[in-house]
Amino acid sequence: MQYDVIIIGAGASGLTAALNAKKNGAKVAVIAKTLPTHSQTVQAQGGINAVLYEDDDSVEQHIEDTYKGSYNISNKRNIEYMCKNAKDTILWLDSIGVPFNRNKNDKIAQRKFGGTKKIRTCYSSDYTGLKIVHTLYDQCISNDIQFYNEHQVLELIVSNNECFGCIAYDIVDGKVKEFMSKSTILATGGYAGIYKNHTTNSLSTTADGIAIAFKAGADLSNMEFVQFHPTTLENTNILISESARGEGGLLLDENENRFIDELSTRDEISREIFKKIVKKEKVYLDLRHIEKEKIEELIPQEMRLASEFSNIDISKELLPITPAAHYSMGGIKTDINTNTSIKSLYACGECAQTDIHGANRLGGNSLLEIVTFGKIAGINATKNLSTETINQETINKYINQNKSKIKTLLQRDKSSYSIHKTKNTLGDLMFKKAGLFREEETLLSLSKELEALEASLDSIHIDDKSSIYNKNLLEYFELENSICVSKTLIFSAMKRKESRGSHYREDFNKANKLYEKPSILTYKNDQIDLNFEDIK
Amino acid sequence: MKLKINRLSTATNDFKTFEFTVSQENLLKALEEIKTNDDPTLTYRCGCKSGVCGSCTVRVNGVEKLACRTNIKEGDLVEPLKNSRVIKDLVVDVSHETLLIKKTNIGIKESASKNISQADVLKIDTQSNCILCNACYSSCPVYEVNKEFLGPFALTKALRYENDLKSQDEEIINSVQANGIWDCTLCSACTFVCPQGIDPKMDIMQLQNISSQKGYTNPYMNNFDNSMGFDSFDSNDFGFNPNGGF
Ligand SMILES: Cc1cc2nc3c(=O)[nH]c(=O)nc-3n(C[C@H](O)[C@H](O)[C@H](O)COP(=O)(O)OP(=O)(O)OC[C@H]3O[C@@H](n4cnc5c(N)ncnc54)[C@H](O)[C@@H]3O)c2cc1C
Ligand code: SF4
Ligand code: SF4
Ligand code: FES
């Protein structure tokens, strides 16, 4: 199958890229391991940032807040581009049918999010991400965009540092297929999901795209920066939106005393909460003092989530909470045009590191980023269609390698290693040793433990032998990718000997000017290398 | 606690009931527990674990539920959705989604932003909360006899765009006439199972009403006694009232 542009991933970034590439006349296909409406973007509740009306806010202020949030390691020009275009981005989403709430003057309504004093976040009730994805998907359907759903991409086809497409595994019928393209866009989402059982992320967010790109030779950047969200439900890690604190929710310790300013930044609050949890103390979100009507009007989804998943009525009871991995600031290194270090390979959305969020992302800036850069990727990938070709022999080599890998996996003898237990172990270890607090010693021991986990991959048994919807095989690939990305995270966390934003080193508990730079990871000839590079 | 799961055996192509012992009350967690401890091959879809991605829908004791939002009781029986080909265990083919949505001609042709009010937004708020979970599709008796039926979620979506001031599409109403609004028996099964509190039956009745106003007629009308009031919006003679009973 030959396309002009293939897009891997069908969250808001992938769907936006697809629509824009198609609009530019390209022959487009979207490949995703889930269905588009099952992508993680549907989980975004709070909203999407933009300065729409400059009466009390300004684009400059948005740029400044984002830059400050990044702890000075972002690219002001990239941020400026995103913020300047934010209004148009919202108006575009609005024009294709995203039903943004309106205020009394029939203007698009906005709410307040952390990290800024301004009211800047546009929303569609409690379901901003859901409504954005479904609207984009409806547009894709009416524009006849070709979807290959439930196709897990295993590898990029790269020759002489140029990407020619990818190899995917058709989950439904077990076939290995090649998708050839002049341009390839990765929009596979982030990697906070590797903290399994300690994350707000979707169960299918397993860092695939980043691992695949890295193995193909693409540079990664800022992998050490993972944002933890302070308020997720104990036991399930379902997110209780920042709006809860925004509307006056308090954080209480076991003795029902406040211990922190609830409106400090996410990383600070998370760390303070976690210190208590490590000591086996409980921490609660208290909304009892807010009138029930107000709760029902402003945060109805949070009320439902607390009641359904924790069996708690937030208008009457304290809600036990815990911090969890939420968002990954790092990813595949790109420039403002979404180019990666591999020719004809683009990346956008949470899998990309576009020098916007640096060491910490502001709430509401991610949806803005994924739509803004999804559009750039779609357009740019169509403009720069490569004329290079690759011979059939190389393609066959890729196909055969993957087929034989799968065959070998399925033939393996039974062993004591289990995919699911290993996934859980990985999540627990990462949370414990490369979570909210890090230090040389624990990172080193984690690194050893990870080596052992990686070695166990060689003997993990695939229980399901069938070629029909073999989830075990997919889970194996996901585990492989999660381990690969965990390694890059630990490696970067060890090298950054300072504390900055979400990256907190107990042995270097202050920011250090020397490290006021993004980290760049390269992988060549089986060697990982890391450099801190100035922003260009 | 014992949990029963009806699974399609690919070898014999029939369903077998398996019984597992689980400690988790939440159904999705119980499935994960089985996968980790008893049978790694157990296959189901899941994603958000919080009720918004619509991927984990199954039937529990015959009623469509999101696994991640359901607590189980001793002896509950879990089965895949109805009206779709079962691919494996609890996974069914959902490729009909695209076809059905496509047929309704929805989707705003990129228009200039129109000034709308919060009241206009609220008109489409409930319908645009649909998570495409297929619970309604599985529960609908019409699909058992007619696979071409546009059905609850597609028609709800049609209404959502029909009621959107920014859409000026005349095509939508025309598209929902054949195998659409008039084929619904207004039985309310869809309304009963929707996890998002959407009332597709009421949406279909609204579409019937709009159609009548635009001069379309119910093709089955002459087969019915007029007193059944098939096109009358507020008739309570048939179907069931979603606000009463439960
Ligand atoms: C609970 C929650 C609430 C949030 N709230 C907000 C908010 O209010 N505001 C905000 O700005 N941000 C929010 N975020 C962050 C934001 O939602 C994410 O950053 C964003 O959704 C990422 O979108 P994406 O398009 O990059 O990827 P995703 O939506 O994660 O989609 C990834 C896609 O890639 C596909 N894929 C992955 N691997 C493969 C593979 N190997 N082969 C093929 N396909 C693959 C998947 O199937 C999927 O389609 C929230 C995040 C969470 C988890
Ligand atoms: S009310 Fe109509 S659409 Fe809903 S289940 Fe009954 S027949 Fe199907
Ligand atoms: S209308 Fe309700 S039941 Fe039907 S797909 Fe949408 S959310 Fe699910
Ligand atoms: S896992 Fe997303 S709805 Fe249940």
Side-chain angles (χ1 to χ4, degrees):
Chain A
M1 276 156 281
Q2 173 74 49
Y3 291 92
D4 294 332
V5 180
I6 56 175
I7 292 124
I8 306 173
S13 60
L15 296 178
T16 306
L19 281 170
N20 281 285
K22 175 92 185 193
K23 204 168 119 196
N24 267 11
K27 187 177 171 201
V28 177
V30 181
I31 307 167
K33 68 173 178 180
T34 60
L35 281 110
T37 53
H38 299 174
S39 304
Q40 184 184 287
T41 308
V42 295
Q43 289 172 241
Q45 306 162 2
I48 170 167
N49 290 345
V51 175
L52 296 179
Y53 318 106
E54 303 217 28
D55 34 9
D56 181 43
D57 197 359
S58 66
V59 175
E60 284 64 40
Q61 188 65 49
H62 188 185
I63 298 169
E64 208 38 59
D65 289 342
T66 306
Y67 185 72
K68 199 167 154 235
S70 80
Y71 290 86
N72 303 349
I73 52 164
S74 53
N75 185 328
K76 265 205 171 163
R77 269 169 300 141
N78 297 8
I79 296 177
E80 190 181 314
Y81 180 88
M82 177 179 91
C83 296
K84 277 196 171 153
N85 280 285
K87 184 173 180 176
D88 282 347
T89 304
I90 301 291
L91 294 182
W92 175 69
L93 288 171
D94 185 59
S95 78
I96 60 170
V98 177
F100 286 110
N101 281 48
R102 299 303 208 262
N103 62 22
K104 283 187 224 79
N105 307 322
D106 295 350
K107 288 180 169 174
I108 290 175
Q110 289 169 301
R111 56 163 66 124
K112 206 170 104 199
F113 251 34
T116 166
K117 298 268 172 301
K118 301 292 172 186
I119 301 174
R120 189 182 289 152
T121 310
C122 313
Y123 57 95
S124 262
S125 73
D126 247 6
Y127 286 118
T128 314
L130 177 83
K131 299 200 191 211
I132 291 178
V133 170
H134 281 254
T135 307
L136 290 170
Y137 185 47
D138 291 342
Q139 283 288 319
C140 288
I141 291 178
S142 46
N143 281 292
D144 290 315
I145 284 175
Q146 170 90 49
F147 280 94
Y148 292 95
N149 295 330
E150 308 201 297
H151 277 66
Q152 177 142 343
V153 171
L154 305 177
E155 211 175 354
L156 295 171
I157 302 175
V158 174
S159 171
N160 287 331
N161 202 40
E162 169 154 9
C163 182
F164 293 90
C166 67
I167 303 288
Y169 180 76
D170 183 338
I171 303 175
V172 177
D173 68 11
K175 290 208 171 74
V176 175
K177 302 174 179 170
E178 81 270 24
F179 289 87
M180 305 310 295
S181 60
K182 296 175 182 163
S183 293
T184 304
I185 302 175
L186 281 165
T188 48
Y191 56 89
I194 56 182
Y195 293 83
K196 179 139 193 271
N197 298 331
H198 306 275
T199 175
T200 60
N201 281 198
S202 162
L203 289 158
S204 57
T205 301
T206 51
D208 296 354
I210 298 167
I212 290 166
F214 192 53
K215 286 182 209 159
D219 293 350
L220 305 185
S221 173
N222 284 355
M223 296 302 287
E224 60 275 36
F225 296 114
V226 177
Q227 179 171 76
F228 286 78
H229 201 290
T231 56
T232 79
L233 298 180
E234 200 186 54
N235 300 324
T236 53
N237 294 132
I238 288 168
L239 181 74
I240 295 300
S241 163
E242 205 164 289
S243 337
R245 273 171 294 133
E247 302 303 343
L250 300 175
L251 292 168
L252 302 184
D253 65 13
E254 280 196 329
N255 307 319
E256 303 199 14
N257 293 324
R258 287 179 65 198
F259 58 94
I260 188 160
D261 172 9
E262 285 77 6
L263 297 175
S264 319
T265 56
R266 283 182 184 179
D267 52 312
E268 264 173 67
I269 301 179
S270 296
R271 283 194 291 269
E272 288 311 309
I273 295 177
F274 191 61
K275 277 191 206 157
K276 297 201 177 295
I277 289 181
V278 173
K279 286 191 261 167
K280 303 256 179 291
E281 288 173 25
K282 283 206 167 222
V283 178
Y284 302 97
L285 181 64
D286 181 9
L287 296 151
R288 297 171 302 179
H289 52 287
I290 303 173
E291 294 123 62
K292 194 163 180 188
E293 293 73 44
K294 199 172 156 198
I295 293 180
E296 276 166 353
E297 187 196 325
L298 295 169
I299 45 173
Q301 191 178 189
E302 319 315 320
M303 180 140 187
R304 169 178 81 73
L305 293 171
S307 136
E308 271 179 17
F309 294 97
S310 292
N311 202 14
I312 277 178
D313 178 351
I314 49 173
S315 68
K316 294 203 190 81
E317 297 161 90
L318 291 174
L319 183 66
I321 47 105
T322 183
H326 180 58
Y327 179 85
S328 38
M329 268 76 73
I332 305 160
K333 172 94 192 89
T334 68
D335 63 13
I336 192 162
N337 295 315
T338 69
N339 295 305
T340 67
S341 59
I342 296 179
K343 201 168 168 251
S344 304
L345 180 70
Y346 304 81
C348 60
E350 201 178 326
C351 71
Q353 201 296 84
T354 314
D355 287 330
I356 296 276
H357 308 300
N360 202 6
R361 169 190 68 108
L362 300 187
N365 261 358
S366 169
L367 287 176
L368 176 62
E369 183 211 352
I370 67 181
V371 179
T372 311
F373 289 94
K375 179 176 173 185
I376 297 184
I379 293 172
N380 211 31
T382 356
K383 272 200 211 143
N384 299 328
L385 293 180
S386 163
T387 49
E388 296 290 318
T389 51
I390 185 171
N391 58 30
Q392 190 59 41
E393 222 174 296
T394 316
I395 302 170
N396 291 345
K397 202 184 86 199
Y398 271 97
I399 289 273
N400 293 335
Q401 266 170 9
N402 282 286
K403 276 190 181 161
S404 72
K405 178 174 177 183
I406 290 172
K407 199 167 152 208
T408 321
L409 280 173
L410 292 176
Q411 282 169 345
R412 263 189 202 163
D413 290 335
K414 197 136 182 89
S415 80
S416 51
Y417 292 110
S418 132
I419 301 175
H420 305 100
K421 287 187 185 138
T422 313
K423 264 192 173 180
N424 291 336
T425 310
L426 175 68
D428 289 343
L429 282 175
M430 288 298 290
F431 186 67
K432 212 165 133 201
K433 299 187 172 176
L436 287 146
F437 294 94
R438 294 126 186 227
E439 61 182 326
E440 189 83 15
E441 211 180 311
T442 37
L443 287 170
L444 267 173
S445 78
L446 174 60
S447 170
K448 297 236 164 58
E449 284 160 322
L450 223 65
E451 267 169 39
L453 285 189
E454 192 175 28
S456 76
L457 282 173
D458 289 339
S459 43
I460 280 183
H461 176 249
I462 312 285
D463 292 84
D464 198 337
K465 303 291 174 199
S466 128
S467 58
I468 300 167
Y469 219 96
N470 190 334
K471 258 207 144 180
N472 286 174
L473 255 185
L474 306 181
E475 286 155 346
Y476 175 86
F477 293 127
E478 290 176 346
L479 177 59
E480 222 178 23
N481 292 331
S482 299
I483 291 182
C484 165
V485 167
S486 302
K487 277 169 57 186
T488 65
L489 193 162
I490 297 167
F491 192 80
S492 313
M494 282 206 281
K495 296 276 174 183
R496 188 176 284 281
K497 298 186 194 308
E498 64 158 352
S499 290
R500 184 179 295 271
S502 65
H503 171 74
Y504 191 90
R505 290 269 309 240
E506 286 180 292
D507 40 359
F508 301 97
N509 62 7
K510 284 200 182 59
N512 180 339
K513 261 284 191 213
L514 283 177
Y515 290 97
E516 204 163 284
K517 293 170 183 181
S519 60
I520 314 280
L521 268 178
T522 50
Y523 181 58
K524 299 245 155 64
N525 311 324
D526 278 341
Q527 266 315 106
I528 298 186
D529 203 12
L530 185 139
N531 290 299
F532 291 97
E533 287 177 16
D534 284 322
I535 307 252
K536 285 183 201 103
Chain B
M1 186 161 44
K2 295 260 189 293
L3 181 67
K4 288 184 284 187
I5 303 181
N6 237 350
R7 302 167 71 178
L8 178 74
S9 147
T10 32
T12 54
N13 210 25
D14 56 7
F15 286 91
K16 274 209 186 88
T17 309
F18 291 73
E19 202 176 83
F20 299 96
T21 306
V22 293
S23 61
Q24 298 281 352
E25 267 184 29
N26 175 281
L27 178 53
L28 183 59
K29 285 194 167 186
L31 294 175
E32 201 169 328
E33 186 184 346
I34 296 170
K35 219 173 153 69
T36 312
N37 298 334
D38 304 309
D39 184 353
T41 72
L42 181 67
T43 309
Y44 51 89
R45 287 194 185 99
C46 57
C48 68
K49 62 195 189 290
S50 57
V52 284
C53 77
S55 69
C56 65
T57 331
V58 291
R59 286 187 307 141
V60 182
N61 302 329
V63 181
E64 287 74 7
K65 303 260 181 193
L66 297 180
C68 64
R69 271 178 70 181
T70 302
N71 279 345
I72 45 170
K73 300 181 305 298
E74 178 65 37
D76 276 354
L77 171 68
V78 181
E79 298 168 279
L81 295 181
K82 284 198 305 186
N83 296 331
S84 277
R85 180 176 67 91
V86 176
I87 296 174
K88 180 151 137 198
D89 291 352
L90 301 172
V91 175
V92 300
D93 184 358
V94 289
S95 54
H96 54 265
E97 287 175 358
T98 323
L99 304 173
L100 294 173
I101 294 172
K102 173 97 191 141
K103 278 194 196 159
T104 56
N105 256 304
I106 50 90
I108 296 175
K109 317 279 175 284
E110 265 182 69
S111 56
S113 272
K114 240 194 182 167
N115 274 341
I116 57 168
S117 69
Q118 180 60 10
D120 298 322
V121 172
L122 286 178
K123 255 201 246 162
I124 56 174
D125 183 56
T126 308
Q127 286 79 7
S128 58
N129 283 344
C130 171
I131 57 173
L132 266 188
C133 69
N134 278 290
C136 55
Y137 182 91
S138 165
S139 75
C140 176
V142 177
Y143 282 118
E144 290 188 22
V145 289
N146 179 11
K147 288 283 170 250
E148 298 285 302
F149 180 46
L150 287 171
F153 67 71
L155 291 171
T156 282
K157 210 180 256 288
L159 180 70
R160 172 241 176 282
Y161 281 102
E162 175 63 26
N163 278 342
D164 193 329
L165 274 196
K166 286 173 279 169
S167 143
Q168 297 117 16
D169 212 328
E170 289 301 313
E171 269 303 296
I172 298 174
I173 287 296
N174 193 26
S175 315
V176 299
Q177 303 297 315
N179 287 311
I181 49 175
W182 311 109
D183 296 75
C184 162
T185 63
L186 304 176
C187 71
S188 279
C190 50
T191 303
F192 176 50
V193 297
C194 178
Q196 288 293 80
I198 299 167
D199 185 348
K201 173 199 149 188
M202 194 58 91
D203 294 346
I204 293 170
M205 288 169 74
Q206 263 201 61
L207 283 169
Q208 291 182 345
N209 212 30
I210 297 171
S211 298
S212 302
Q213 280 163 14
K214 291 196 172 176
Y216 292 93
T217 49
N218 180 352
Y220 304 124
M221 202 58 196
N222 25 16
N223 298 337
F224 286 95
D225 185 303
N226 268 346
S227 64
M228 271 190 83
F230 223 75
D231 58 354
S232 111
F233 186 71
D234 44 21
S235 164
N236 271 325
D237 298 350
F238 54 87
F240 102 155
N241 176 359
N243 303 317
F246 43 85

